[in-house]
């Protein structure tokens, strides 16, 4: 029997280590609400000047010319005049800073691909392409020119959103600068990474305005403490920039740091991701061709992750990564080559520490996986990784999302791998070897080879670590967070049935006989009435919550997948809005709808109609909160959801791997909703709360918020997806025999 076919010995499962209690999650606000909550005003002009002069107290302004006047109409010209004066007096060798109105063109080159368009931009003169604005990473100031008819709140929100995106585009800045101008006054703004926005409103006629603007513009030439000195060079490409970053590596003697550090220069790193500029500000930079090697490792450093982390929190991402790999490399989970902590210059304001991780592995985001087959391979292996982390490392990830699960290109033939170093598993702990799906199916000689790369343990928890430090409340990402975690309490039992324990495919049984013994095949059955009483226990994050979070990226992928060469089919708007929401009630309604027998038109592209049966069965597994399961039932085991998911996915692959829909390539441009209609129009069920109007997906929200005001929903027919939710009360009248018969009649996995 070969290595890939040998049965695994199943180690004893213990779940004595508990995670921290979860609290009801607040709305995960878009950046405009987040920024407003952290905004504050400078008390006086002197307070603003004191802030701007930090680290460089000798900044002085000349007297204001007698004929110098400010106004909304001529602001860009007046500011450019001051910028020219600042250059002449202080920065002769510097390029000239100019202020321009953007017109109809939006800046390009942002790593989050926003179409946000500031009205006013300041940048070096040479960075403007004629009248077109420079790339986002080359912009030094953004501004809003208040429009007639818009409220002050709207104008203020627009100006703050520009600062939000500027900080996302500039990993080399700790502080970004912005303005808001209207007919009577100007607002000077500074966006402080990890903190928020501070501002000062000044009338155009205020005599102090010239001095304030002079020092404000001086800081654009010389950011000083507002910039990260480890970013030593920026080079412009056609539609992006690359940075040279200097990291500090510990010097070790006999494997032990001696307290000294050395500089390591990392050239040509491009920003590929950024988020949450006023919270745990995160930037990821990437160089696939990096030749940087660190002492003690032959692997190349290709990824740099910068993040602001609250001081004194219970867990440290690097410490958990080291814990995971200390007994042997865990394939499918990211490895760190470098870690350093940087003291922030504005520590009197920002109560966070700057942490930098250097990594060797890379991949593409889950929602960009090119075929349904590769997507399901990745999900199966992700579940295997999550089980291994929980059982053998006592670690919970707690933030599974489409951005934290990466896809690594992996061929069935090892000799065809384009970058073997990116999937090299290193010395694997053989006593608890993982078997990923290609190894299980005999497609790879090494059972530990996987196309899954799980990253980002910023919300992770080491269950064996007991400290008195702060615990992070949030344990998930909008759209993907488990319902009970978002609630902070068990999901109410609206459908009092235990899910099936699905049959085990033969290839799975032969490889995991002990798993199959622990989870014998069982039919769906009614829950005892006593099991659905009001919960009194504390809800704690567990493996089953991480597995529920796996379901949502799968559904998200299938919903947005547009097959190449096939006609465009818009997404059902009601279903989309039930998913893309901050309201847990909407996703609960969506999950109920997914358990109905027929696929609503427009949920998936018709090419992927065969995925509906699998989606239903996965939804049925997580439908009822594990909190309500009887204590002695094998399904009341943190691994049950993962076990059921893996069996269902594997069987689907075995039945359909040669079908066209599994291998057809996905268009890079995803499907879009047919019409933006609030999901609450489609929810009539008396047994659920009426949700508020939902938010959009991040990318759509970025585009819609800039140009649209709230629109009243138009009347229309009820969406097919939520129609299933309306029928739930009737469906719950079905007895055991009828329900099992319904499941037998439902189309199964085989296409056609």
């Amino acid at each position: 029997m070969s290595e890939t076919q040998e049965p695994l010995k199943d180690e004893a499962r213990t779940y004595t280590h508990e995670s921290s209690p979860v609290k009801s999650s607040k709305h995960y606000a878009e950046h405009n609400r987040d920024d407003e909550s952290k905004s504050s005003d400078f008390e006086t002009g002197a307070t603003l000047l004191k802030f701007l002069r930090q680290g460089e107290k000798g900044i002085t302004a000349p007297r204001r010319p007698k004929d110098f006047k400010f106004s909304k109409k001529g602001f860009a010209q007046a500011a450019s005049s001051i910028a020219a004066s600042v250059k002449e007096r202080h920065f002769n060798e510097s390029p000239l800073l100019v202020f321009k109105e953007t017109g109809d063109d939006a800046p390009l080159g942002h790593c989050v691909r926003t179409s946000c368009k500031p009205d006013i931009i300041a940048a070096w003169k040479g960075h403007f392409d004629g009248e077109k604005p420079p790339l986002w990473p080359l912009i030094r100031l953004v501004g809003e020119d208040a429009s007639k008819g818009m409220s002050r709140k709207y104008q203020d929100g627009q100006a703050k959103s520009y600062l939000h995106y500027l900080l996302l585009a500039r990993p080399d800045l700790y502080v970004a600068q912005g303005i808001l101008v209207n007919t009577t006054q100007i607002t000077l703004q500074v966006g402080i990474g990890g903190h928020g926005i501070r501002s000062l409103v000044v009338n155009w006629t205020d005599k102090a305005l010239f001095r304030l603007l002079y020092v404000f513009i001086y800081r654009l030439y010389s950011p000083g403490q507002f910039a990260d000195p480890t970013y030593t060079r920026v080079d412009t490409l056609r539609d992006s920039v690359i940075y040279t970053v200097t990291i500090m590596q510990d010097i070790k003697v006999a494997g032990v740091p001696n307290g000294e550090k050395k500089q390591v220069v990392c050239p040509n790193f491009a920003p590929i991701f950024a988020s949450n500029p006023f919270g745990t500000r995160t930037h990821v930079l990437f160089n696939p061709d990096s030749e940087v090697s660190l002492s003690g490792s032959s692997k190349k450093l290709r990824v740099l992750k910068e993040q602001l982390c609250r001081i004194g929190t219970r867990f440290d991402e690097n410490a958990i990564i080291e814990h995971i790999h200390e007994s042997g490399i865990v394939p499918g989970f990211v490895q760190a080559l470098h870690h350093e902590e940087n003291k922030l210059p504005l520590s009197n304001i920002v109560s966070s520490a700057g942490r930098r991780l250097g990594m060797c592995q890379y991949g593409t985001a889950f929602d960009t996986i090119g075929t349904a087959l590769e997507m399901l391979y990745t999900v199966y292996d992700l579940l295997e990784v999550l089980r291994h982390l929980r059982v053998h490392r006592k670690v919970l990830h707690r933030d599974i999302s489409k951005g934290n699960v990466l896809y690594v290109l992996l061929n069935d033939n090892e000799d065809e791998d384009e970058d073997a170093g990116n999937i090299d598993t290193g010395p694997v702990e053989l006593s608890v070897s993982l078997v990923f799906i290609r190894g299980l199916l005999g497609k790879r000689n090494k059972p530990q080879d996987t196309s899954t790369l799980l990253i980002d343990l910023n919300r992770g928890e080491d269950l064996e670590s007991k400290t008195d430090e702060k615990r992070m409340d949030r344990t998930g990402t909008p759209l993907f967070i488990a319902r009970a975690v978002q609630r902070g309490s068990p999901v109410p039992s609206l459908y009092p049935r235990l899910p099936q324990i699905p049959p085990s495919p033969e290839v799975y049984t032969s490889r995991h006989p002990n798993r199959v013994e622990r989870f014998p095949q069982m039919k769906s059955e009614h829950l005892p009435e006593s099991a659905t009483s009001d919960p009194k226990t504390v809800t704690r994050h567990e493996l089953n919550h991480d597995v529920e979070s796996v379901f949502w990226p799968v559904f998200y992928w299938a919903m947005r997948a547009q097959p190449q060469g096939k006609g465009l089919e818009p997404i059902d708007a009601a279903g989309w809005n039930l998913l893309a929401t901050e309201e847990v009630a909407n996703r609960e309604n969506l999950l109920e709808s997914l358990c109905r027998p027929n696929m609503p038109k427009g949920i998936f592209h018709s090419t992927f109609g065969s995925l509906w049966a699998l989606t239903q069965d996965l939804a049925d597994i997580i439908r009822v909160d594990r909190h309500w399961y009887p204590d002695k039932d094998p399904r009341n085991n943190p691994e049950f959801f993962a076990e059921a998911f893996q069996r269902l996915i594997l069987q689907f692959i075995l039945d359909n791997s040669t079908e066209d829909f599994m291998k057809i390539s996905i268009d890079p441009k995803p499907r879009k909703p047919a019409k933006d209609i609030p999901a609450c129009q489609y929810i009539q069920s008396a047994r659920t709360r009426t949700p508020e109007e939902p938010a959009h997906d991040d990318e759509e929200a970025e585009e819609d918020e800039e140009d649209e005001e709230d629109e009243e929903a138009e009347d229309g027919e009820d969406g097919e997806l939520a129609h299933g939710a309306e029928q739930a009360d009737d469906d719950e009248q079905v007895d055991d025999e009828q329900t099992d018969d319904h499941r037998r009649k439902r189309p199964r996995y085989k296409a056609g």
Side-chain angles (χ1 to χ4, degrees):
M1 186 173 289
S2 69
E3 180 187 3
T4 57
Q5 297 173 332
E6 183 179 353
L8 289 180
K9 294 181 180 180
D10 205 22
E11 300 75 22
R13 259 55 171 169
T14 58
Y15 303 97
T16 55
H17 299 85
E18 293 184 325
S19 67
S20 305
V22 297
K23 298 180 181 179
S24 179
S25 302
K26 299 178 181 179
H27 287 303
Y28 298 123
E30 294 294 336
H31 63 261
N32 55 343
R33 277 189 283 168
D34 180 57
D35 296 347
E36 282 184 32
S37 66
K38 298 178 181 179
S39 298
S40 62
D41 292 333
F42 290 104
E43 296 177 357
T44 63
T47 310
L48 171 59
L49 288 174
K50 181 179 179 181
F51 176 83
L52 293 172
R53 287 169 172 163
Q54 289 186 79
E56 197 166 348
K57 300 185 182 298
I59 307 175
T60 58
R63 289 179 176 271
R64 178 173 67 96
K66 291 183 179 180
D67 58 345
F68 204 97
K69 294 183 179 179
F70 292 106
S71 68
K72 174 179 180 290
K73 185 176 181 180
F75 172 76
Q77 182 178 355
S80 293
S81 177
I82 295 176
S85 174
V86 172
K87 170 180 164 56
E88 182 179 355
R89 285 170 57 92
H90 304 281
F91 305 104
N92 271 328
E93 302 301 319
S94 173
L96 177 64
L97 185 75
V98 295
F99 288 71
K100 286 190 176 184
E101 297 178 357
T102 56
D104 297 328
D105 295 315
L108 302 177
H110 204 297
C111 63
V112 301
R113 301 184 301 277
T114 179
S115 60
C116 177
K117 185 177 73 65
D119 295 323
I120 302 168
I121 284 175
W124 302 136
K125 184 177 181 180
H127 286 160
F128 285 91
D129 181 10
E131 294 303 313
K132 292 185 178 180
L135 300 175
W136 267 103
L138 303 178
I139 295 174
R140 307 184 85 79
L141 174 143
V142 287
E144 162 77 355
D145 187 344
S147 304
K148 290 183 179 180
M150 296 297 180
S151 68
R152 170 71 193 205
K153 182 178 180 180
Y154 173 85
Q155 295 165 357
D156 193 52
Q158 286 290 95
K160 289 173 179 176
S161 72
Y162 301 150
L163 274 178
H164 169 98
Y165 287 115
L166 184 55
L167 271 176
L168 291 182
R170 296 292 302 265
D172 56 327
L173 292 181
Y174 294 129
V175 177
Q177 294 171 246
I179 55 170
L180 166 63
V181 298
N182 61 30
T183 55
T184 60
Q185 55 196 200
I186 179 174
T187 302
L188 303 176
Q189 298 175 322
V190 291
I192 306 168
H195 176 72
I197 297 173
R198 301 187 69 184
S199 57
L200 179 71
V201 179
V202 187
N203 292 329
W204 291 121
T205 56
D206 193 315
K207 293 181 179 180
L209 179 56
F210 181 86
R211 181 175 57 165
L212 290 168
L213 266 177
Y214 191 96
V215 178
F216 199 72
I217 292 172
Y218 181 103
R219 268 299 182 219
L220 296 176
Y221 276 99
S222 177
Q225 290 189 335
F226 294 175
D228 185 343
T230 65
Y231 285 78
T232 56
R233 180 183 173 88
V234 56
D235 294 295
T236 306
L237 304 179
R238 181 179 178 184
D239 57 357
S240 61
V241 301
I242 52 176
Y243 294 99
T244 296
V245 185
T246 300
I247 64 176
M248 301 299 294
Q249 184 185 16
D250 290 325
I251 298 176
K252 296 181 179 180
V253 178
V256 179
N258 67 356
E260 299 180 2
K261 295 180 180 291
K262 67 175 182 179
Q263 290 187 347
V264 178
V265 177
C266 306
N268 304 329
F269 274 74
I272 59 171
F273 175 81
S275 68
N276 203 11
F278 302 112
T280 56
R281 185 185 181 192
T282 304
H283 291 272
V284 179
L285 298 95
F286 175 51
N287 178 4
D289 303 316
S290 172
E291 291 298 322
V292 176
S293 294
L294 302 180
S295 300
S297 174
S298 61
K299 297 180 179 179
K300 306 298 184 183
L301 189 150
R302 293 162 165 165
V303 180
L304 288 172
K305 176 183 177 181
E306 315 259 0
Q307 192 162 49
L308 297 183
C309 302
R310 286 183 292 172
I311 297 173
T313 50
R314 181 173 172 183
F315 301 111
D316 174 275
E317 180 178 18
N318 183 68
I320 300 179
I321 292 175
E322 289 183 348
H323 165 69
I324 288 172
H325 296 297
E326 66 183 350
S327 298
I329 298 299
V330 175
F333 194 85
V334 69
Q335 304 166 40
L337 301 181
H338 172 74
H339 173 256
E340 64 179 297
E341 188 162 315
N342 300 314
K343 184 178 180 181
L344 301 180
L346 302 175
S347 57
N348 59 322
I349 298 174
V350 182
S351 57
S352 299
R355 290 175 180 162
R356 177 178 284 159
L357 282 176
M359 294 161 282
C360 58
Q361 300 145 295
Y362 60 92
T364 58
F366 181 87
D367 58 334
T368 65
I369 296 176
T371 67
L373 182 62
E374 288 298 320
M375 183 271 289
L376 293 175
Y377 276 1
T378 303
V379 173
Y380 181 95
D381 289 357
L382 171 62
L383 294 162
E384 193 73 13
V385 172
L386 291 173
R387 295 179 76 163
H388 186 86
L389 294 183
R390 175 62 181 92
V391 175
H392 300 293
R393 296 296 190 264
K394 304 298 185 290
V395 168
L396 290 171
H397 188 281
R398 306 199 312 166
D399 193 12
I400 300 299
S401 69
K402 66 182 179 67
N404 291 339
V405 179
L406 302 186
Y407 169 72
V408 178
L409 181 61
L410 194 68
N411 295 292
D412 288 345
N413 185 347
E414 288 96 325
D415 295 334
E416 297 177 0
D417 290 335
E418 295 181 6
D419 186 357
N422 193 37
I423 59 173
D424 182 20
T425 55
V428 179
E429 184 182 4
L430 297 178
S431 63
V432 286
S433 293
L434 297 107
V435 177
F436 293 115
I437 194 160
R438 281 183 169 85
L440 187 68
L441 298 176
K443 295 181 178 296
R444 298 279 292 201
N445 291 325
K446 292 178 65 176
Q448 293 84 23
D449 286 350
T450 176
S451 58
T452 299
L453 181 61
L454 182 58
I455 64 171
D456 194 355
L457 267 174
N458 190 46
R459 303 289 173 184
E461 184 169 4
D462 178 358
L463 304 182
E464 293 180 313
S465 173
K466 300 297 181 183
T467 74
D468 295 327
E469 294 178 321
K470 299 176 185 176
R471 176 185 59 83
M472 287 178 286
D473 294 332
R474 173 181 162 182
T475 56
T477 296
L479 272 72
F480 312 113
I481 186 173
R483 295 159 297 150
V485 175
Q486 186 171 358
R487 281 176 165 274
S489 61
V491 179
S493 180
L494 305 174
Y495 179 79
R497 296 186 63 84
L498 287 167
Q500 65 163 329
I501 299 182
S504 172
E506 183 178 348
V507 66
Y508 189 87
T509 302
S510 64
R511 191 61 166 158
H512 299 291
N514 291 320
R515 287 186 184 179
V516 176
E517 183 179 348
R518 283 191 295 118
F519 297 102
Q521 181 179 352
M522 297 178 69
K523 292 183 178 181
S524 173
E525 58 186 294
H526 270 296
L527 274 168
E529 187 173 344
S530 60
T532 58
S533 59
D534 188 48
K536 300 297 182 183
T537 59
V538 175
T539 298
R540 297 179 184 273
H541 200 115
E542 248 302 349
L543 176 60
N544 54 282
H545 297 120
D546 277 354
V547 175
E548 179 177 333
S549 291
V550 171
F551 171 82
W552 297 110
V554 173
F555 182 71
Y556 182 88
W557 185 98
M559 204 178 202
R560 300 175 81 227
Q562 170 63 45
Q564 287 186 352
K566 302 292 183 179
L568 298 178
E569 297 178 11
I571 301 173
D572 174 70
W576 177 257
N577 281 327
L578 285 170
L579 173 66
T581 178
E582 296 173 3
E583 283 289 333
V584 66
N586 280 355
R587 283 195 299 135
E588 288 170 359
N589 277 279
L590 174 60
L591 198 63
E592 290 297 315
S593 299
L594 296 179
C595 295
R596 305 277 72 83
N598 298 316
M599 183 177 80
K601 182 179 179 180
I603 294 301
F604 297 164
H605 192 283
S606 57
T607 300
F608 297 114
S610 296
L611 283 174
W612 183 252
L614 174 62
T615 303
Q616 284 184 298
D617 276 348
L618 296 179
D620 192 62
I621 297 298
I622 63 174
R623 186 180 191 181
V624 177
D625 196 311
R626 189 175 69 88
H627 172 85
W628 309 111
Y629 292 11
D631 291 341
K632 295 184 179 180
D633 192 286
R635 285 164 284 206
N636 191 7
N637 180 311
E639 283 189 84
F640 163 64
F641 283 14
E643 179 73 14
F645 270 41
Q646 286 184 289
R647 292 186 189 183
L648 292 168
I649 291 169
L650 177 59
Q651 188 63 59
F652 187 87
I653 290 172
L654 292 171
D655 289 344
N656 293 281
S657 61
T658 60
E659 299 293 336
D660 290 343
F661 79 91
M662 291 285 273
K663 296 183 177 181
I664 190 169
S665 296
I666 304 302
D667 196 297
K669 294 183 179 180
R671 298 171 69 219
K672 298 290 184 181
K675 195 175 185 180
D676 189 21
I677 302 175
C680 55
Q681 269 193 228
Y682 294 84
I683 301 175
Q684 307 292 334
S685 175
R687 59 181 176 76
T688 60
R689 301 191 308 273
T690 301
E692 298 175 4
E693 183 173 340
H696 304 289
D697 169 57
D698 291 345
E699 292 177 8
E700 280 71 31
E702 290 168 2
E703 298 174 3
D704 295 344
E705 284 177 358
E706 297 147 13
D707 303 316
E708 298 179 4
E709 298 211 49
D710 292 337
E711 298 177 355
E712 293 189 5
E714 299 177 3
D715 294 333
E717 297 180 0
D718 286 352
E720 294 180 76
L721 185 69
H723 175 73
E726 295 174 23
Q727 303 299 321
D729 289 333
D730 295 333
D731 291 342
E732 288 170 9
Q733 307 295 324
V734 181
D735 62 23
D736 288 355
E737 182 177 351
Q738 290 173 312
T739 300
D740 288 337
D741 183 61
H742 158 70
R743 293 185 64 84
R744 285 193 296 271
K745 290 180 180 179
R746 196 175 74 198
R748 299 306 296 167
Y749 299 138
K750 188 68 176 176

